[in-house]
Amino acid sequence: MPSIPRRSFLEKTGALAAGAATFHIASGLRAQSPNEKFTVGIIGPGGMGSNHLRGLARLSEVNIAAVCDVDSNRLGIAVKNVELAGKPAPRAENDLRRVLDDKSIDVVFIATPDHWHTPAALLAIDAGKHVYVEKPASHNIREGRLLIEAARRNKRVVQVGTQSRSAPHLRAGMEKLAGGAIGDVLTTKVWNSQLRSNIGHAQSEPPPATLDFDLWLGPAPAVPYRSSLLHAKWRWFYAFGAGDMGNDGVHDIDIGVWGLLGDKPRHPSRIAALGGKYFFDDDQEFPDTQNVLFEYDLGGGKKKQLIYEQRLWSPYVQEGHENGDAYYGTSGYMVLGKAKSWQIFGKKNAPGEEMKGTIDLDAHHQNFFDCIRTGARPNADIEIHHYSACLCHLGNIATRLGRTLNFDPAAEKFIGDDEANKLVGREYRKGHWAVPKGV
Ligand SMILES: NC(=O)c1ccc[n+]([C@@H]2O[C@H](COP(=O)([O-])OP(=O)(O)OC[C@H]3O[C@@H](n4cnc5c(N)ncnc54)[C@H](O)[C@@H]3O)[C@@H](O)[C@H]2O)c1
């Protein structure tokens, strides 16, 4: 059994006077029995976190013991929403360490901005919690590896918020591809084609009184508050997000690589990219226009490609789907839009089998809880997700540097490129309590 930290986070990180903290001893590492209830903490009940909260509040097997947000307005709404769903009011906290210190909580949902995902998830896993963390689970390549190690070290279930992995029509579509329905899938094209908003230009100003901006920044380097950073807009900044490639793109990239490589995900070895801000004149740092090409070396001279296209200024859909995937095989192709359908076309474009369906967040939650009970790996296990999230990180690095990069999949480092290797990790706020160990 792995060792579990016995001193509380608040005590260890000096935020409470000695003796005032609760001591955390994690619950056992056994699988739960089918009738056991889950005591859950929700960290970051903002946009997506509220969706989780509503879904969890409907489950009789779930007791929402705590909600945690650094914005007191959002925290108040979260408490109210749990009560409106007919459940007892949860404890309201603004410091996630208090949730992790609660030994009655065995599961946490993390739906904070991306820069908090890995730091919060590592602390939670090491405290013995099972973790559902939103996508992309990592802010960078190094963090993703640390998460896998922590999950395996502590034998915790870590499900990532790529809920398409639990959609029956997509699982059926992937089985078709794996079964050879379009021959050998050599290339997959993923597109993210939609119309985003201009976030404007904002000046530094004092943060709203309802927001603990220092806690929001957490282990990221301190910057002054400005309204174009939050809420939700942080995803367009290098220090906090992963652009739309890691935001909406990661869902379709995840399904794209699933169909291309099946259940044996791996890293590509070459990445070429071009992109930039061709449309928006605002504070966003990530590109609104981006084309990335990944080449996989499968050994024995066998190669495959994944192509990612992003146009955030498109008031129209592509191939019938706003975002989607096209799998090109040696005897046919499949067009897939995750929220709608997939269809196969054969030789000379002859229409073949199709299947409709939608994505069901509840099914993904259920898969997570089932795996805690059985000890099985969840549908969007942290290791599967790592290879999809890294496509976003690799694509963003190649786009930022504007050159073809050679990547060593085993070492998770670029070959002969110091500048690119600096972007395998990130800068943290010196001495902050949430900076992951080993970065
Ligand atoms: N799976 C999906 O389909 C899906 C859809 C949308 C968003 N997301 C993901 O959900 C996450 C949140 O996105 P969003 O659009 O809801 O962002 P948001 O900015 O609206 O919400 C984030 C919330 O986290 C809170 N927060 C920040 N730091 C915190 C901390 N240290 N402790 C507690 N709370 C903290 C913020 O105050 C805010 O309420 C992102 O990772 C995003 O990628 C997933």
Side-chain angles (χ1 to χ4, degrees), residues 47-48 69 74 111 114 116-117 134-135 161 163 232 234-235:
M48 189 61 194
D69 202 297
R74 286 188 156 193
D114 301 356
W116 258 115
H117 288 174
E134 264 309 333
K135 51 75 202 167
Q163 55 271 17
W234 47 263
R235 44 177 48 81

Side-chain angles (χ1 to χ4, degrees), residues 42-52 68-71 74 93-96 110-117 132 134-136 161-163 211 215-218 230-235 246-248 251 361 433:
I42 302 176
I43 300 172
M48 189 61 194
S50 299
N51 290 335
H52 290 306
C68 170
D69 202 297
V70 298
D71 177 330
R74 286 188 156 193
E93 300 287 0
N94 81 335
D95 189 325
L96 61 88
I110 299 171
T112 60
D114 301 356
H115 70 285
W116 258 115
H117 288 174
Y132 183 116
E134 264 309 333
K135 51 75 202 167
T162 41
Q163 55 271 17
L211 176 73
L215 261 185
W216 186 92
L217 285 168
L230 67 157
H231 288 296
K233 301 172 203 154
W234 47 263
R235 44 177 48 81
N247 180 46
D248 259 3
H251 288 293
L361 187 62
W433 53 266

Side-chain angles (χ1 to χ4, degrees), residues 154-194:
N154 291 299
K155 298 189 171 59
R156 299 289 87 181
V157 177
V158 180
Q159 172 90 299
V160 183
T162 41
Q163 55 271 17
S164 304
R165 287 267 174 180
S166 294
H169 69 301
L170 298 179
R171 296 185 77 77
M174 295 303 116
E175 270 174 34
K176 287 278 163 203
L177 293 178
I182 58 169
D184 193 5
V185 183
L186 293 182
T187 303
T188 295
K189 184 172 75 173
V190 180
W191 62 92
N192 176 5
S193 168
Q194 57 180 303

Side-chain angles (χ1 to χ4, degrees), residues 28-318:
L29 300 178
R30 77 211 139 73
Q32 295 201 225
S33 78
N35 300 322
E36 223 162 336
K37 296 207 172 203
F38 300 98
T39 303
V40 174
I42 302 176
I43 300 172
M48 189 61 194
S50 299
N51 290 335
H52 290 306
L53 185 147
R54 281 189 287 272
L56 295 172
R58 285 194 295 268
L59 297 178
S60 58
E61 73 222 84
V62 167
N63 162 35
I64 303 176
V67 288
C68 170
D69 202 297
V70 298
D71 177 330
S72 59
N73 283 338
R74 286 188 156 193
L75 194 55
I77 291 168
V79 172
K80 213 166 271 166
N81 281 340
V82 176
E83 286 183 297
L84 281 173
K87 297 239 180 191
R91 251 177 48 220
E93 300 287 0
N94 81 335
D95 189 325
L96 61 88
R97 289 173 292 183
R98 290 190 188 274
V99 178
L100 303 185
D101 270 342
D102 183 339
K103 66 180 179 188
S104 75
I105 292 178
D106 39 23
V107 173
V108 293
F109 276 64
I110 299 171
T112 60
D114 301 356
H115 70 285
W116 258 115
H117 288 174
T118 298
L122 286 174
L123 292 171
I125 297 166
D126 281 336
K129 320 288 185 199
H130 298 285
V131 171
Y132 183 116
V133 58
E134 264 309 333
K135 51 75 202 167
S138 55
H139 173 272
N140 54 67
I141 297 166
R142 179 68 193 137
E143 286 188 351
R145 180 53 55 189
L146 291 177
L147 274 178
I148 298 169
E149 289 169 4
R152 302 299 182 248
R153 184 172 65 238
N154 291 299
K155 298 189 171 59
R156 299 289 87 181
V157 177
V158 180
Q159 172 90 299
V160 183
T162 41
Q163 55 271 17
S164 304
R165 287 267 174 180
S166 294
H169 69 301
L170 298 179
R171 296 185 77 77
M174 295 303 116
E175 270 174 34
K176 287 278 163 203
L177 293 178
I182 58 169
D184 193 5
V185 183
L186 293 182
T187 303
T188 295
K189 184 172 75 173
V190 180
W191 62 92
N192 176 5
S193 168
Q194 57 180 303
L195 182 59
R196 289 277 182 205
S197 305
N198 187 314
I199 64 167
H201 294 283
Q203 300 300 315
S204 305
E205 58 178 305
T210 48
L211 176 73
D212 187 331
F213 185 57
D214 194 62
L215 261 185
W216 186 92
L217 285 168
V223 294
Y225 172 84
R226 57 188 159 131
S227 61
S228 59
L229 269 185
L230 67 157
H231 288 296
K233 301 172 203 154
W234 47 263
R235 44 177 48 81
W236 316 131
F237 296 86
Y238 293 134
F240 307 111
D244 216 22
M245 198 166 182
N247 180 46
D248 259 3
V250 71
H251 288 293
D252 307 283
I253 286 171
D254 184 54
I255 304 163
V257 78
W258 188 7
L260 185 71
L261 302 178
D263 59 3
K264 292 189 182 59
R266 55 173 76 210
H267 290 304
S269 46
R270 279 213 293 175
I271 308 103
L274 280 177
K277 285 181 66 177
Y278 295 9
F279 183 71
F280 289 112
D281 174 7
D282 62 7
D283 282 346
Q284 296 183 57
E285 293 174 342
F286 279 100
D288 53 41
T289 309
Q290 195 172 11
N291 286 287
V292 189
L293 192 54
F294 301 93
E295 187 181 67
Y296 288 90
D297 185 346
L298 303 184
K302 189 162 175 67
K303 294 188 176 180
K304 290 192 175 194
Q305 275 191 9
L306 187 134
I307 303 160
Y308 176 75
E309 297 178 359
Q310 178 173 292
R311 291 172 295 278
L312 302 184
W313 33 261
S314 307
Y316 44 81
V317 301
Q318 183 177 327

